[in-house]
Amino acid sequence: MGKRIVSVFITFMLLLSVQVVQAETQDQKDWQEETAYYVEVDRFHNGNPHNDGEDFDPEDPLAYHGGDLEGLTKKIQYIKDMGFSTLILSSIFEEGFEGERIDSHYGTVEDLKALVDEAHKQELLVMVEFDLERLNLASNKGKDNLVASTQKWLVEANIDGFYLHYADLFDATYWESVLQEVKEEELYLVGTFKAYDEKKLAAYLEAGFDSILNKPFYKIGTETFSNVDQPQDSLINLVQHTPNGITNYFDNDETVRFTRYAIEQNQHPGNRFKLAFSFLYTIPGTPFVYYGSEIAVDGAEPPTNRPLMNFQSDEELIEYIGKLATIRNNLPALSKGDFNVLYEQDGMMIFKRTFEGESILVAINNSTKTQKVRIQASEIADDKKLQGLLTGDTFSEENGEYEFILEREVSEIYEIKENTGFNIPLLSVFILVPTLFIGFLILARRKGKKVG
């Protein structure tokens, strides 16, 4: 228990120091500044057993498992604590009614309203999925029904956007005509492609979509990070040439779980996910996390990739995601900056993100050995100090170079600071706070012995 308290407190103080540096916030964010968490509502949390229905069967991957809107509402704080800013719900609508009725297994309109209200209190946006293959949109009537349904939920439930599954079933011109009637200033629209084609991406963004999920990133990213000592040039090349307005992910409702690939490579999924998430949260594009990935849920092809959520799992990876989210949310260069690779070799990469004069460095060692890399100061900054925000690694320029030393399977995010000696917030986090806390525990133990 003591170790966990120390860890939580150190994390809090470290991330607080980041917020002190970047205290300014914006009232309205672009999609690229969001961090999205997608939930399979039926597989998340059962808040009301009375709506389970006769077809409830947690042992059957094709049956209902009991998760509902009421249960999700009870877990809003859990999602918020991981630093997510947007919650995406899997489709909750009854088939055959063009998105007009909520499936009774998930609850009622009032349950959806309560969920959105609670999410908004926690400054979480809520988006709802339409599964477009189930909707008859080819006719003008179908289009009118879609417009009516989206407007209905915007008004009745005050949701913040829609996640459109397989948006490419209809061309960009069709969506432009739909979105002219639906699109509002603060409404997010994110879609997936059934057949990903980068050439179509720009057309859909111009039509009014805020983003499309980056299917090539899933494939190349999984190949890169599910194992150690992998070539990274293909992934870096993808990031460098992917246009803005993209959402990156390592697994979702249609894929084999990232954890399964790691296990097949005889790798520890938690370590693999730490490096993968470190990359996901620090490159251009919006991070998209599929429910359960924060506890390294395993699963093969759908529907076995959608098990019932387990909230009794190890919290180490959950806390790590929280760190990454806080760092990303408070350093604009990580969401809006350019992307400049300084080094890539033998499983080690170092890249630089710069926005409005602020530069952040990211180092990821996806190898089986400690890596030492020297980078010329001219590529970073002269006579500065690099302050690590994940492990606390801090060092300064020497002889016109910065020497990065990273242990195996470790990532670090560096702020570039003035080289003025001791950094008080960092000193408090990594030395004073643990020392004082340990002293407190010793005194408490001594007092307990005296009382006994």
Side-chain angles (χ1 to χ4, degrees):
M1 178 63 72
K3 181 179 179 182
R4 171 164 168 71
I5 294 174
V6 171
S7 174
V8 171
F9 197 67
I10 290 176
T11 298
F12 169 77
M13 291 297 294
L14 174 58
L15 301 181
L16 181 62
S17 72
V18 176
Q19 294 173 329
V20 170
V21 175
Q22 293 291 338
E24 296 182 2
T25 58
Q26 298 179 352
D27 292 333
Q28 183 179 350
K29 295 189 291 186
D30 295 327
W31 177 251
Q32 64 186 355
E33 298 175 78
E34 301 292 338
T35 49
Y37 186 76
Y38 179 103
V39 169
E40 292 283 355
V41 178
D42 177 57
R43 308 302 167 93
F44 202 64
H45 185 54
N46 192 341
N48 183 6
H50 298 293
N51 59 28
D52 288 350
E54 295 181 358
D55 43 2
F56 167 78
D57 185 359
E59 301 302 319
D60 182 355
L62 294 175
Y64 286 98
H65 285 207
D68 50 33
L69 294 168
E70 188 173 337
L72 183 52
T73 302
K74 294 176 180 178
K75 293 295 183 179
I76 286 295
Q77 189 64 52
Y78 168 83
I79 298 169
K80 178 64 177 178
D81 286 347
M82 288 187 287
F84 292 103
S85 60
T86 299
L87 171 62
I88 302 177
L89 311 186
S90 62
S91 179
I92 56 174
F93 302 112
E94 188 173 344
E95 291 189 42
F97 288 92
E98 307 280 334
E100 295 177 358
R101 295 187 187 178
I102 294 178
D103 188 321
S104 60
H105 289 88
Y106 304 127
T108 65
V109 174
E110 293 304 317
D111 291 330
L112 179 59
K113 290 180 181 178
L115 168 64
V116 174
D117 287 346
E118 183 60 29
H120 286 173
K121 289 177 184 177
Q122 297 290 341
E123 298 182 340
L124 266 171
L125 303 180
V126 178
M127 299 173 66
V128 176
E129 178 181 358
F130 282 155
D131 191 331
L132 296 178
E133 288 186 307
R134 299 178 182 177
L135 304 181
N136 179 20
L137 303 181
S139 65
N140 288 332
K141 181 180 179 181
K143 173 184 169 184
D144 292 341
N145 288 342
L146 176 63
V147 171
S149 295
T150 55
Q151 291 175 335
K152 167 187 173 71
W153 299 115
L154 287 171
V155 173
E156 285 196 30
N158 196 26
I159 65 172
D160 303 286
F162 297 95
Y163 179 80
L164 301 178
H165 191 64
Y166 291 166
D168 58 329
L169 291 176
F170 302 91
D171 62 28
T173 303
Y174 172 87
W175 285 115
E176 186 172 12
S177 65
V178 171
L179 300 180
Q180 284 176 351
E181 302 180 55
V182 174
K183 183 80 172 177
E184 295 183 0
E185 184 177 352
E186 297 184 4
L187 171 65
Y188 281 135
L189 290 159
V190 177
T192 71
F193 283 170
K194 186 171 185 177
Y196 189 88
D197 183 351
E198 187 177 309
K199 296 178 181 178
K200 298 188 299 185
L201 180 60
Y204 281 77
L205 296 178
E206 290 174 4
F209 279 81
D210 291 283
S211 188
I212 298 293
L213 261 63
N214 190 356
K215 198 170 185 177
F217 179 90
Y218 156 72
K219 182 178 185 300
I220 300 176
T222 298
E223 291 173 352
T224 302
F225 285 108
S226 62
N227 202 357
V228 293
D229 297 320
Q230 298 300 300
Q232 303 172 128
D233 52 330
S234 295
L235 182 58
I236 288 175
N237 183 66
L238 175 67
V239 173
Q240 289 174 326
H241 294 92
T242 297
N244 293 332
I246 207 73
T247 296
N248 300 314
Y249 65 102
F250 281 102
D251 47 19
N252 68 8
D253 60 310
E254 297 184 302
T255 72
V256 173
R257 288 281 188 165
F258 179 87
T259 292
R260 175 58 57 94
Y261 290 115
I263 292 173
E264 289 175 348
Q265 303 288 343
N266 295 317
Q267 297 294 317
H268 187 282
N271 292 340
R272 299 288 86 223
F273 255 128
K274 282 186 176 181
L275 295 184
F277 282 140
S278 295
F279 189 72
L280 183 72
Y281 273 71
T282 57
I283 61 170
T286 303
F288 174 106
V289 177
Y290 190 46
Y291 90 104
S293 292
E294 72 274 16
I295 57 172
V297 161
D298 186 22
E301 295 287 344
T304 62
N305 65 339
R306 302 191 286 266
L308 195 61
M309 183 66 177
N310 176 9
F311 291 99
Q312 305 301 319
S313 300
D314 181 31
E315 296 186 1
E316 182 179 351
L317 185 55
I318 293 174
E319 292 176 358
Y320 191 82
I321 292 174
K323 286 184 183 181
L324 290 173
T326 301
I327 292 170
R328 183 180 187 274
N329 292 341
N330 288 281
L331 298 176
L334 293 180
S335 58
K336 296 186 285 187
D338 58 13
F339 180 77
N340 182 25
V341 178
L342 304 182
Y343 180 90
E344 188 278 310
Q345 189 174 333
D346 300 327
M348 174 80 166
M349 73 171 83
I350 301 174
F351 56 88
K352 183 179 179 181
R353 305 288 311 278
T354 301
F355 177 73
E356 294 185 348
E358 173 196 71
S359 291
I360 303 297
L361 295 169
V362 180
I364 299 177
N365 181 5
N366 187 27
S367 76
T368 53
K369 63 181 181 180
T370 297
Q371 298 274 0
K372 295 183 180 180
V373 177
R374 290 185 174 88
I375 303 292
Q376 293 293 317
S378 59
E379 296 190 62
I380 298 176
D382 292 325
D383 192 28
K384 301 293 183 182
K385 176 175 61 180
L386 301 188
Q387 176 176 302
L389 301 174
L390 289 174
T391 68
D393 180 31
T394 302
F395 56 97
S396 301
E397 173 196 342
E398 291 186 7
N399 301 320
E401 295 179 328
Y402 292 91
E403 184 180 54
F404 296 78
I405 303 176
L406 244 64
E407 295 182 2
R408 57 176 292 176
E409 299 184 73
V410 168
S411 302
E412 184 56 286
I413 301 170
Y414 299 94
E415 280 191 285
I416 300 176
K417 310 289 289 184
E418 293 296 330
N419 197 2
T420 55
F422 288 115
N423 180 279
I424 298 302
L426 195 66
L427 184 67
S428 298
V429 169
F430 289 103
I431 300 177
L432 295 181
V433 170
T435 301
L436 290 174
F437 192 83
I438 291 171
F440 168 78
L441 292 178
I442 293 173
L443 288 174
R445 180 175 295 182
R446 288 177 177 175
K447 288 183 178 180
K449 289 182 178 180
K450 289 181 180 180
V451 172

